[in-house]
């Protein structure tokens, strides 16, 4: 008897069929779009091993699974590579059928972990996917039933359904004050227009990461965002200017009536001018005009101190409430054995 589902690689399935499924599936969100696979492939030490499940009975797509091998800087034999799925399996079925498809997807994930020497699998579900943001959303991490160790987090989400006046009143006083200060100081906000604004954005990105001490993302990653997302209306980039100079820019993912604060970059002068707050507010106004109902401002760190507290408070200040983020981690079988054998070989060499 043949298997009910066959494995097909993301490239083999093709962008059109992959995205058609993502558009129709309530479990899929922006992270499941085929374009993001290309964008994340630009990051160092990442290899795309995304795949789909196709029903062998009628040829329809049953699930899509974005998946990357994150390569360890150490010896592969130690098993410290990671399989990472941002979004997790998106399945367009319910009940027993959904369970069977999900089990088949995770069986393939575990097989790929073995093939690529991954010591762990990390899966993060998309909080803005329709099935996770509605009143009937799961109350327990769906990954637990698939054998993943529960590693939940939380994020700030703003409900935009009440309109602009309600959104403004829902913001904390310090956020409204920051917006007014930026406006008074002459900061203006405009949408990004084209390739010249990519240059502006990446310059701000380099300045931001130099200030924080983090390694910047490759320019090719943002080129993919501009070419594949901005042009298709899957994101919106806003640039704040002061006296003719760009001082801040923020990129928002847009899909299925929801938005996500995706990437941002700000010059030191922009921080002094409260430019990021004004960009956030102008972006929210634009979202509401487009019918966007939910806006995820980013992962929350309640009770944090230092830099994380400042980041958390900024995200919260725009009227967000805490929503769950479902994550799971699975240690693959044989990791310790592989590590022990590798260390033995090194010592005996």
């Amino acid at each position: 008897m043949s298997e009910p589902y066959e494995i097909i690689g993301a490239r083999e399935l093709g962008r059109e069929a992959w995205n058609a499924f993502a558009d129709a599936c309530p479990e899929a969100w922006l992270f499941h779009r085929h374009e993001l696979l290309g964008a994340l492939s630009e990051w160092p030490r990442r290899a795309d091993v995304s795949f789909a499940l196709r029903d062998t009975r009628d040829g329809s797509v049953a699930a899509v699974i974005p998946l990357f091998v994150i390569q360890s800087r150490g010896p592969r034999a130690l098993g410290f590579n990671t399989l990472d799925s941002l979004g997790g399996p998106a399945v367009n079925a319910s009940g027993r059928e959904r369970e069977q498809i999900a089990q088949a997807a995770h069986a393939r994930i575990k097989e790929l972990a073995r093939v690529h020497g991954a010591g762990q699998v990390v899966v993060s579900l998309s909080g803005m996917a329709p099935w996770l943001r509605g009143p009937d959303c799961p109350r327990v991490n769906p990954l637990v039933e698939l054998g993943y160790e529960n590693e939940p987090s939380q994020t700030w989400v703003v409900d935009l359904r009440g309109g602009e006046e309600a959104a403004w009143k829902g913001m904390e006083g310090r956020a409204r004050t920051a917006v007014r200060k930026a406006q008074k100081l002459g900061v203006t906000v405009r949408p990004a227009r084209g390739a010249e604004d990519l240059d502006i954005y990446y310059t701000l990105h380099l300045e931001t990461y130099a200030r924080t001490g983090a390694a910047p993302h490759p320019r090719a990653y943002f080129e993919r965002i501009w070419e594949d997302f901005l042009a298709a209306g899957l994101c919106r980039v806003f640039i704040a200017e002061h006296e003719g100079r760009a001082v801040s820019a923020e990129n928002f993912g847009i899909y299925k009536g929801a938005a996500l604060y995706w990437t941002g970059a700000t010059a030191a002068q922009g921080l002094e001018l409260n430019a990021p707050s004004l960009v956030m507010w102008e972006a929210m106004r634009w979202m509401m005009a487009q019918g966007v109902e939910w806006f995820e401002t980013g992962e929350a760190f309640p009770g944090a101190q230092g830099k994380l507290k400042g980041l958390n408070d900024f995200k919260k200040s725009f009227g967000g409430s805490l929503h769950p983020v479902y994550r799971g981690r699975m240690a693959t079988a044989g990791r310790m054995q592989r590590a022990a054998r590798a260390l033995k070989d090194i010592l005996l060499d």
Side-chain angles (χ1 to χ4, degrees):
M1 183 176 179
S2 62
E3 294 293 330
Y5 306 106
E6 64 175 339
I7 308 298
I8 181 169
R11 291 186 179 181
E12 182 184 354
L13 181 61
R15 178 185 290 199
E16 184 176 350
W18 182 285
N19 283 343
F21 178 87
D23 290 344
C25 178
E27 294 189 15
W29 201 63
L30 192 67
F31 301 151
H32 294 92
R33 292 281 300 197
H34 198 277
E35 294 88 346
L36 193 62
L37 306 182
L40 292 179
S41 295
E42 302 294 351
W43 287 19
R45 300 186 297 108
R46 284 185 180 245
D48 183 10
V49 292
S50 303
F51 65 95
L53 294 181
R54 189 160 56 188
D55 195 315
T56 57
R57 293 160 293 188
D58 60 12
S60 64
V61 179
V64 297
I65 300 90
L67 189 66
F68 283 82
V69 179
I70 303 178
Q71 298 165 345
S72 168
R73 288 188 171 89
R76 176 174 181 256
L78 292 178
F80 293 139
N81 286 351
T82 294
L83 274 190
D84 181 80
S85 179
L86 178 59
V91 180
N92 198 7
S94 59
R96 178 60 180 163
E97 183 182 8
R98 184 194 181 280
E99 182 180 341
Q100 291 175 340
I101 296 171
Q103 291 288 357
H106 285 281
R108 175 59 175 170
I109 289 173
K110 287 188 282 188
E111 179 183 357
L112 287 171
R114 178 186 59 79
V115 170
H116 294 282
Q120 62 177 350
V121 179
V122 179
V123 177
S124 302
L125 302 185
S126 305
M128 289 293 93
W131 79 305
L132 290 177
R133 68 180 194 240
D136 299 324
C137 66
R139 298 298 188 266
V140 177
N141 188 343
L143 296 169
V144 171
E145 294 185 37
L146 294 166
Y148 285 80
E149 187 176 337
N150 190 25
E151 292 195 351
S153 186
Q154 53 284 318
T155 188
W156 294 112
V157 177
V158 182
D159 185 346
L160 300 176
R161 294 175 295 175
E164 186 172 325
E165 182 178 356
W168 178 257
K169 290 180 178 178
M171 289 165 51
E172 294 182 357
R174 58 198 179 93
R176 293 195 297 268
T177 297
V179 170
R180 292 192 186 103
K181 284 183 177 179
Q183 291 171 331
K184 187 177 181 180
L185 291 169
V187 179
T188 59
V189 177
R190 64 171 178 82
R193 288 186 284 263
E196 67 277 9
D197 285 335
L198 171 59
D199 294 334
I200 290 171
Y201 187 96
Y202 196 63
T203 297
L204 288 170
H205 173 74
L206 293 177
E207 181 176 344
T208 301
Y209 275 57
R211 186 173 64 247
T212 61
H217 294 310
R219 180 187 168 88
Y221 170 62
F222 296 103
E223 290 174 352
R224 292 283 193 132
I225 290 175
W226 247 251
E227 294 170 4
D228 294 338
F229 288 86
L230 187 60
L234 294 170
C235 77
R236 184 82 166 182
V237 179
F238 292 92
I239 297 176
E241 296 177 329
H242 182 258
E243 297 180 350
R245 178 178 183 265
V247 294
S248 185
E250 293 172 9
N251 168 31
F252 303 89
I254 312 290
Y255 194 47
K256 295 186 177 181
L260 167 75
Y261 178 88
W262 187 354
T263 63
T266 302
Q269 183 188 12
L271 297 176
E272 297 172 359
L273 294 168
N274 292 291
S277 294
L278 181 59
V279 174
M280 288 284 278
W281 171 241
E282 291 299 333
M284 288 168 61
R285 293 182 63 209
W286 178 84
M287 292 172 196
M288 287 180 278
Q290 303 304 310
V292 174
E293 296 183 338
W294 302 97
F295 173 34
E296 182 180 353
T297 59
E299 187 171 6
F301 307 100
Q305 300 298 318
K307 290 183 179 179
L308 275 184
K309 174 176 171 54
L311 184 60
N312 175 79
D313 292 350
F314 176 78
K315 297 172 182 177
K316 176 188 176 184
S317 68
F318 293 93
S321 59
L322 286 174
H323 284 228
V325 173
Y326 294 129
R327 291 176 179 163
R329 185 183 304 271
M330 179 185 293
T332 58
R335 172 176 175 173
M336 296 307 296
Q337 291 89 337
R338 286 198 306 274
R341 285 197 300 270
L343 286 172
K344 181 179 179 180
D345 291 342
I346 292 171
L347 292 172
L348 294 176
D349 189 7

